[in-house]
Amino acid sequence: MKRSVLVFCAALTGASLPLSALAQQTSAARKNSGQLQEVVVTAERRAEPLVDVPISVVNLGAQQLRQANVQTLTGIAQLTPGLQFNTQGPWVQPNIRGVGTDVVNTGSSPNVGLYIDGFYVPNGQAIDTQLLNIESIQVLKGPQGTLFGANTTGGAILVTTRKPSRTRSAILDASYGSYNAQRYQAYATTGLTDKVAVDVAALYDTGDGYFNNIYTHNDKVGQYGNWMVRTGIKYDISSNASILFHYQHEVIDNPLIDMLNAYVKNGQPIDVEAVIPGAIVATRPGQVSLAPFPLPHGPGFVSHNDSYQITPKVDLGFATLTSYTQWRREDGVDYEPGSTGSLPIIDFQVPVRDKTATQEFLLTSKPGSRLQWTTGLYYLNWTDTFNAFIAPGGTAWIHVAGSSTHTESYAAYGSVTYRLLSKLYLTAGVRYTRDQVKDGYYDQIGTYNHVYAPTLTENRGTPRAVVRYTPNDHSSIYFSFTQGFKTGMYDLGGNSLAVVRPETLDAYEVGYKYSQRRLAFALDSYYYDYKNLQVPSYLLGAGNVPEAEDTNAANAKAYGVEGNVDYQVTRHFAVNANVAFEHAAYTSFPNAPGFAPCFSSAAVCGTNYGVSPPVLVNAGSFQMMLAPNFTSSVAAQYSADVRGGMLSLSANYYYTSSYYLDPAHETRQGAYSTLGLRAAWTDPSGRYTFAVSGINVTDTRYIDESAPNNTYFGVGWAAPATVMGEIQVHLL
């Protein structure tokens, strides 16, 4: 079956998304030239041809994302072998080459940094943003501690949005699909004067969801409604200076992230309610079992996010100076049902309030000389506040816990590349970072009485060194050493003043890149030495109540080989293939968080019958979580003139081997594959495009979230097969 799907995908015309960073070109450009177009990326904080960048980069263009029906950031995972996303409710944790985290705590950020238009987003609840008016997404694999700073141990994801233009343009896009899914988008840009351009983009996304509540027989329990507005103003002060302002407001009302059911292990649902006679326990994909939520808001996540960004840029003649000034706020509340009705209702509410201010000055040299350099200064001011409330029996909310941190980070960095010989380049760089966690506290249980932590200060340098050789203008060979780190923190979410030390990762990588005419490919291999992993653990406290704590408890090693090929077979037909082989394992992990489910009988289990007491597992030599040994993608795209217009057919196939969703191997996802198809026709005028898409047409059901605890191993399931029709109209 797998072989037939691969053959079908490779033969079918039209890639839903060329996955290689070497393949960013539109079908129109392919038709006109029949050759690959040069890809320019900003992985080293300046615009460079991808073939010259000694980093493993995947670049996804706007047209590629649209063809693949990628609507949120997590959707790029199946388009990028080696990239996974771990979710804990609304908290999203990207994972690259096995480097990620499942820590959710005050002041803790993901191990893969997210940058939107050059601005850092530290809050894990804001990671899975709607993709509106996107120009490109770059996925940088490997630690990026020198140029991008802390919390890029695994890599960085760079999202670039479209800029205002004085050339008038307006686009409307509407789509409708399975489960009443509706998505409406609009974009317009114009010039106000010969120096000022403005734009505005808007999105509304709604639907019934694909879940059925088998307790209340409600197949619309997953109804969602999200919307976003982004506007920009660009002022060209002179031929050498400009300033860009962006504002974005996003509202998320999405219960899908809390639609979990019980994980089945060896035929047994791991849920305390499974031992209660008559209890209704959901175990199948698309099913949940939720009692009526008595308070005003049902289960789900509601968030209101605002961001302001100002980007002045000045050409100084010898270099370009860019300033990045950001202020953002995220107010999110996660509502979680505590019962399916078989046990007393205890509902949960977890509000999170984040305020972030950043300032960066970036100075980059002009291209063309033997010496190229980048230097900068960076400042982060981030306040991250958690609270927790319960509502026993549907009564009013009662505050039970809270914690907060105020993080300030200062950094200075520089990187220099020198052409030592005509074909030999040497790069050296370093970043010095000073992090301070101030005014941190946790609340005494059941009160608002703060227990304050002393200021935590960390100073760290992260170096980078690269040797690059260019046999000709179309290829390059490189060897690099880079270092990354994840900032230290307090375990305040565990009602503790214990310090969790920074993670560190030393990475060695060798790679080869080639791009000429119709063929481009890249091959790289890497070795990681990963130390002091920050991990959550669970212990039994007073009254056998599980207590969570975050500690440094693991070291790991990882190595692998990745490759991609992009081949323009003809002017109308292109194929693309990507593979990633990896071996990632813990080398020391004596206290991995695990559980011991007991469902044999009340006589054997006693008071633990039906529950899963927390235990510590020696996970040394275990495969790292979210680190499959093999992932791959195959894509193809075909275009042809039909009735005077342009027909584009596309397909994208993704495969992953099995992997674990937690470090103690409690939950496992077996190998699976998905297939996406799309057909689009643009009329002769170029104004109207009609498209039909099939997403996950093989209806593969796989786990995309795992949340085990002592009473319940909750898992979330990815969407089933869906079909969508789309109309796009260019008004101007």
Side-chain angles (χ1 to χ4, degrees), residues 664-677:
H665 293 187
E666 302 281 6
T667 50
R668 177 181 179 273
Q669 171 58 55
Y672 70 87
S673 60
T674 62
L675 177 65
L677 303 174

Side-chain angles (χ1 to χ4, degrees), residues 283-455:
T283 61
R284 302 184 62 181
Q287 291 184 348
V288 292
S289 181
L290 303 175
F293 203 84
L295 294 172
H297 196 287
F301 176 61
V302 179
S303 180
H304 296 260
N305 306 328
D306 292 277
S307 66
Y308 303 82
Q309 301 171 348
I310 304 175
T311 313
K313 181 179 292 187
V314 181
D315 186 341
L316 301 176
F318 71 98
T320 300
L321 175 64
T322 307
S323 171
Y324 296 92
T325 305
Q326 169 186 230
W327 185 87
R328 61 185 302 120
R329 175 171 177 159
E330 293 107 11
D331 292 328
V333 183
D334 186 27
Y335 298 91
E336 300 182 13
S339 171
T340 62
S342 303
L343 293 174
I345 295 174
I346 302 179
D347 294 315
F348 298 87
Q349 177 191 146
V350 184
V352 176
R353 305 286 184 263
D354 269 49
K355 294 181 180 179
T356 305
T358 62
Q359 175 62 58
E360 182 174 20
F361 296 103
L362 175 67
L363 191 66
T364 57
S365 63
K366 293 298 187 66
S369 65
R370 296 175 69 96
L371 182 67
Q372 296 289 296
W373 50 268
T374 299
T375 186
L377 299 172
Y378 182 79
Y379 172 71
L380 165 72
N381 189 311
W382 175 40
T383 301
D384 185 30
T385 303
F386 284 45
N387 277 292
F389 298 83
I390 64 171
T395 60
W397 292 111
I398 300 172
H399 180 264
V400 292
S403 58
S404 181
T405 55
H406 176 200
T407 302
E408 284 192 291
S409 180
Y410 308 82
Y413 59 91
S415 178
V416 175
T417 298
Y418 183 68
R419 191 175 73 238
L420 184 64
L421 302 173
S422 62
K423 297 182 178 181
L424 183 65
Y425 298 79
L426 302 179
T427 297
V430 67
R431 186 185 191 104
Y432 179 79
T433 302
R434 180 180 178 85
D435 289 328
Q436 288 189 317
V437 180
K438 303 177 178 180
D439 304 320
Y441 68 81
Y442 69 85
D443 290 339
Q444 292 178 341
I445 295 176
T447 75
Y448 284 98
N449 298 325
H450 299 339
V451 178
Y452 284 94
T455 298

Side-chain angles (χ1 to χ4, degrees), residues 32 64 184 209 253 314 429 435 462 595 601 605 714:
N32 292 334
Q64 299 166 313
Y184 306 96
D253 189 350
V314 181
D435 289 328
T462 46
F595 298 91
S601 68
C605 300

Side-chain angles (χ1 to χ4, degrees), residues 251-293:
V251 175
I252 299 172
D253 189 350
N254 184 12
L256 298 178
I257 60 175
D258 285 320
M259 299 289 105
L260 306 182
N261 60 27
Y263 180 69
V264 178
K265 189 171 186 177
N266 299 323
Q268 172 64 54
I270 309 301
D271 185 347
V272 64
E273 297 191 25
V275 301
I276 299 176
I280 302 174
V281 178
T283 61
R284 302 184 62 181
Q287 291 184 348
V288 292
S289 181
L290 303 175
F293 203 84

Side-chain angles (χ1 to χ4, degrees), residues 64 121 273 288 396 405 416 444 482 521 599 612 657 677 690 715:
Q64 299 166 313
V121 180
E273 297 191 25
V288 292
T405 55
V416 175
Q444 292 178 341
T482 55
F521 65 87
F599 286 87
S612 306
S657 61
L677 303 174
F690 305 89
V715 292

Side-chain angles (χ1 to χ4, degrees), residues 652-672:
N652 185 86
Y653 174 80
Y654 173 82
Y655 172 81
T656 178
S657 61
S658 63
Y659 56 90
Y660 294 93
L661 293 102
D662 64 278
H665 293 187
E666 302 281 6
T667 50
R668 177 181 179 273
Q669 171 58 55
Y672 70 87

